[in-house]
Amino acid sequence: MSMLIKNNIYRAGITGYTHDALGVCRIDENNVFVPGAIKGEEEDILIVKVRNGVSYGKIAGITRPSPERTDPLCPYYKLCGGCSTRHMSYKEELSFKLSRVNSALKHIGNQTLVCEKIIPAEHTERYRNKAVFNISSGSTGAFAGFYKGQGFLFIA
């Protein structure tokens, strides 16, 4: 297995998803997890973290987009980090969720039972039902917000 080089860009096809909807691809026999990637896409991936057996990247460019790629309706999608599938069509989101349920049944529950379908929501927006606000203090006083990938998203 050759080691990937941090800050290099590699071209790869996305073949699946992690449990938290990161795109998965293989580059030189290395597993690479890519936020915002959709299964079936071909992308140029900038490697941002390299570890033994697994690396993390971010999309540097999409050379063959998935027909399931969509523009998120929420203007805070890229900042917040609370929703992991808003960049894909609702059809693809349901497919991802079905795969996740069946994987959990098999690998965690040791079951042979297979879920055949996810019942779709009547409304495909504004269905998030949980928010955790973190409170901290700063030089101007207390503030609250959501954690995102690398810090706070501040809410006034």
Side-chain angles (χ1 to χ4, degrees):
M1 178 186 308
S2 64
M3 195 65 132
L4 297 178
I5 300 170
K6 183 178 176 180
N7 296 323
N8 275 12
I9 295 175
Y10 300 85
R11 184 162 289 174
I14 305 301
T15 58
Y17 301 109
T18 65
H19 72 282
D20 54 354
L22 300 178
V24 177
C25 65
R26 303 255 314 152
I27 301 172
D28 294 337
E29 300 181 31
N30 296 276
N31 294 314
V32 181
F33 301 146
V34 185
I38 297 178
K39 185 168 60 171
E41 289 185 328
E42 182 179 83
E43 300 175 346
D44 290 333
I45 299 167
L46 173 67
I47 302 299
V48 296
K49 185 184 279 188
V50 177
R51 292 188 175 169
N52 288 338
V54 65
S55 297
Y56 294 86
K58 68 180 188 176
I59 300 170
I62 301 173
T63 56
R64 189 181 68 232
S66 167
E68 304 303 328
R69 179 167 290 282
T70 186
D71 290 325
L73 296 175
C74 178
Y76 303 104
Y77 171 71
K78 289 185 178 181
L79 294 173
C80 172
C83 301
S84 57
T85 59
R86 300 306 289 182
H87 63 287
M88 59 179 70
S89 71
Y90 190 60
K91 175 183 151 200
E92 184 70 6
E93 180 180 343
L94 292 178
S95 175
F96 159 71
K97 289 177 178 180
L98 181 63
S99 175
R100 185 172 171 187
V101 167
N102 283 322
S103 177
L105 285 169
K106 180 179 179 182
H107 298 105
I108 298 170
N110 200 26
Q111 301 292 313
T112 57
L113 175 71
V114 175
C115 180
E116 294 180 1
K117 107 180 219 186
I118 300 291
I119 299 170
E122 186 176 329
H123 302 284
T124 61
E125 67 284 334
R126 299 187 182 131
Y127 60 85
R128 185 173 179 183
N129 61 8
K130 179 181 178 185
V132 176
F133 296 94
N134 298 285
I135 300 172
S136 187
S137 62
S139 60
T140 59
F143 54 89
F146 294 105
Y147 275 115
K148 64 176 190 171
Q150 298 190 6
F152 271 107
L153 168 64
F154 300 115
I155 308 251

